[in-house]
Each structure stands twice: as C-alpha cells, then as structure tokens.
Amino acid sequence: MKQKSLLAVLTALCLSFASSVFAAEAVLNGIKYEYSFEMGEAHVMGFGPGYESQSSIVVPDMAMNYPVTQIDEQAFINKQTLKKVDLSKATNLKEIKQHAFLSSGVEEIIFPENNNNGGLIVGKSAFGGIKATSLELRGTLLTIGESAFQGSSLKEVIFSGYVTIGQRVFLNCASLTKLDFNKGGYLHNFAFEGCGKLEITIKNKLPNIIQGHVFEGNEIASVKVACATLDAYMSDANWMAVSANPIGMLDAFASLAEALPEVKVQNGSLKILAEPTSCENNTYTLFAVAGNGFEFKQWADGTTENPRTIEPVCAVCSYDADMLTPEFEEKANGIEEILNENG
C-alpha cells in the first residue's frame, strides 16, 4: 500500500513538473502570452496584469522565441480602452478566435500583408461591434467567419487579397456603403445583410463567386467591374438575381476603366493626355516629356511615336510597365548653339 501511495505522489509530481516545463505564461509589451515546447508556438491570451487600460497592441511574429500563431477566444472582449490593433508584423498568425475583440473600442486594425501559414482565419464575431469606420483586409487566402464584423461602425472595406466571406459577416453594418475587391473572393449568403446602399468596385480579373442571397435586403448603388470581366458578370445567374435590389443588377453594372501600370521615368516625366471612358473607349494617350538637357529617344519597346496611344492592362492585352517607360538621351554638346548661330 505504501508503494502504491508513493507511486501516486511521484506521478503527480511528474505531471506537475511536465506542466511547468511544457506550458508557461509571460507578459511582453503589455500582452499576455501562453507558450510551450510541446505546442511549439505562442498564443495571445489578452492583456497582462496592470495593462488592461492600454490603448494599443502590437502583435509580433515571435514571442519568447516561439511563433505567435493565435489570438485566443475572448482575449480582448469588451476592452473599450483598446483603440488600435497592429497585426502588420504577425506573419505567423493562423487564427483570430471567436469573440477575440467583440464589443471592444477598436478604431483601427492593421492586418499583415504576408502570412507564413498560407492564410489567416478570422473567427465568429471576432470583431463584432467595433468602432472602426475603415478597414483594409490585407494578405492572401483570408477566411472571415460568421458575423465577424457584425454591427460594427464600418463605412468602407477594401479587400486587398483573395477572401472567403462567411455568412452575415457584415450583418447590420448600416453605415457600410463602399466595398473594393482587388484579388477576388467567395461570398456566402447574407454576408452583407442589413448594410447601407452599396457601391461595389471589383478590380480582379476573374469574377467574384457569390451565393444567391449575398446581398439580401440591400440596395445596390453600383457595381463596377473590369471591362474584361463584364460579360462574365452579366451572364452569372447569382449576380443577376439579387432579389432585394430595387434597381436591378443589370442597371447597376458599369465598366471600370483598367488601371495603367506604374511607369517610373528617369530624366523626364510622363503625362497622361487621355484616359479610358468606357470599355469601348478603353485607351490611354501618353506623352513623354524630356527633362532639362535631354530629349526623347524612344519607348522601351522600341516605339518612337510620342504621344502614343495604348490599351491598358486587361485579360486580353498585357503591357509590361517597362515597355511603357520612355527613354531619353542627352542632347549633343553645342548642337543647339550651332543651329542658333546659323539661323
């Protein structure tokens, strides 16, 4: 019996020792983390003791030499003093758990541009009721869970990367009127239910995939899409059958002028004399202006026409920005003076 009792005590001691070795907590810059050798990662638990009134947090990529992969459930729930959440350095973040920032005072969120895990999941009601009015959802393969931003004060959302938007993500965001998509997405039913009169701009080259009731209960002010994708949207049954839109999707559609790629010019400047006005008139007229002491030679693709007219980047016509770059050469010394003397 004594041997059994001793064994039980030793077992309990071993379990206690293992717990203390493999799981620990620490506070770093006001944030409380849980980390362990067994998990091989660190999780954000919330504010550390004495830091509850902190107005901003910066979540790093690493904490205590472990990758920060998760913000825990209810980590900052109801924290009205929290105004800014900076995740720009949190490149190892896999998931923001449900209710993490629910009903907090957050006015600004900066999402990471890059993610080492191939994507980020935003959990159910993670940012419900926040005070932010503008939001840019950056990064690739972003998945936004049900009701993630429900009841928030958002007026404008920019989707910079590919995004999957769950049901009722923006439910009752009554002030939300502007949506910009840059890389495409999959939109689930009722995602924007109860929002304002929406102006939607879709710049990606493939149509956004939507379920049939994405804009249930919404008015659509306009849907602007790239010229190359206009026909695809017009033939998509789900885009055409937004039942609650009083003006009808067909009337709401408009073409979006294709963007001119950035052209970096040395020894001169670039003037845009004319821009696209529609899919039918989808051209730019460019003029290369030589800097002092230089004269225009040619464009990088060998074209000597100046001004020149081009079609912008689209699905069927592609211009490399380098091809649009004008090349200038120095004027020959004395040429102008000789010409002037000879009249």
Side-chain angles (χ1 to χ4, degrees), residues 44-319:
V44 174
M45 301 178 70
F47 282 123
Y51 293 93
E52 289 84 358
S53 61
Q54 192 164 293
S55 63
S56 65
I57 59 170
V58 178
V59 178
D61 60 339
M62 304 284 290
M64 285 68 67
N65 295 320
Y66 291 97
V68 179
T69 61
Q70 179 177 295
I71 299 177
D72 284 348
E73 185 175 333
Q74 299 187 8
F76 299 97
I77 191 172
N78 295 325
K79 299 299 182 185
Q80 287 296 312
T81 57
L82 180 59
K83 304 299 181 184
K84 181 177 180 179
V85 177
D86 187 348
L87 306 176
S88 60
K89 298 178 181 177
T91 54
N92 293 313
L93 199 60
K94 296 178 183 177
E95 186 172 5
I96 301 172
K97 288 287 191 177
Q98 65 177 5
H99 306 147
F101 296 92
L102 179 65
S103 300
S104 65
V106 172
E107 297 174 353
E108 181 181 3
I109 312 165
I110 306 174
F111 278 81
E113 286 190 26
N114 301 306
N115 190 291
N116 295 332
N117 299 301
L120 173 62
I121 297 172
V122 179
K124 182 178 180 180
S125 301
F127 293 96
I130 61 169
K131 305 295 190 285
T133 57
S134 181
L135 176 67
E136 181 179 2
L137 290 164
R138 306 190 299 178
T140 56
L141 298 178
L142 186 66
T143 301
I144 308 176
E146 182 178 346
S147 306
F149 292 93
Q150 178 179 342
S152 66
S153 301
L154 288 167
K155 296 179 180 179
E156 175 185 16
V157 181
I158 300 171
F159 303 93
S160 294
Y162 188 92
V163 61
T164 299
I165 302 175
Q167 291 192 11
R168 297 181 173 84
V169 166
F170 297 98
L171 178 66
N172 294 333
C173 295
S175 299
L176 182 57
T177 58
K178 189 174 181 182
L179 305 175
D180 283 6
F181 293 89
N182 291 324
K183 294 290 178 66
Y186 189 103
L187 285 57
H188 286 262
N189 280 333
F190 313 110
F192 299 97
E193 185 179 3
C195 294
K197 193 170 183 177
L198 294 172
E199 298 177 5
I200 306 168
T201 301
I202 306 172
K203 299 175 183 176
N204 36 283
K205 305 307 177 186
L206 294 174
N208 284 8
I209 302 170
I210 68 167
Q211 295 184 346
H213 302 283
V214 169
F215 301 105
E216 188 80 19
N218 288 107
E219 290 187 41
I220 307 294
S222 64
V223 182
K224 295 181 180 179
V225 300
C227 293
T229 62
L230 185 58
D231 289 343
Y233 280 100
M234 300 286 276
S235 61
D236 187 296
N238 284 337
W239 276 106
M240 290 295 102
V242 180
S243 58
N245 177 17
I247 62 174
M249 289 296 293
L250 193 62
D251 297 327
F253 267 102
S255 61
L256 175 67
E258 302 285 355
L260 181 72
E262 182 182 2
V263 181
K264 295 180 180 178
V265 182
Q266 293 182 342
N267 305 320
S269 60
L270 184 72
K271 248 184 199 180
I272 301 175
L273 302 182
E275 298 186 15
T277 56
S278 68
C279 285
E280 290 73 30
N281 181 22
N282 191 28
T283 58
Y284 283 89
T285 301
L286 309 179
F287 179 58
V289 183
N292 188 32
F294 289 85
E295 59 187 4
F296 174 75
K297 179 183 178 183
Q298 63 181 22
W299 301 89
D301 62 355
T303 301
T304 57
E305 182 183 359
N306 189 35
R308 72 179 293 185
T309 300
I310 64 153
E311 289 185 1
V313 174
C314 64
V316 294
C317 50
S318 179
Y319 271 91

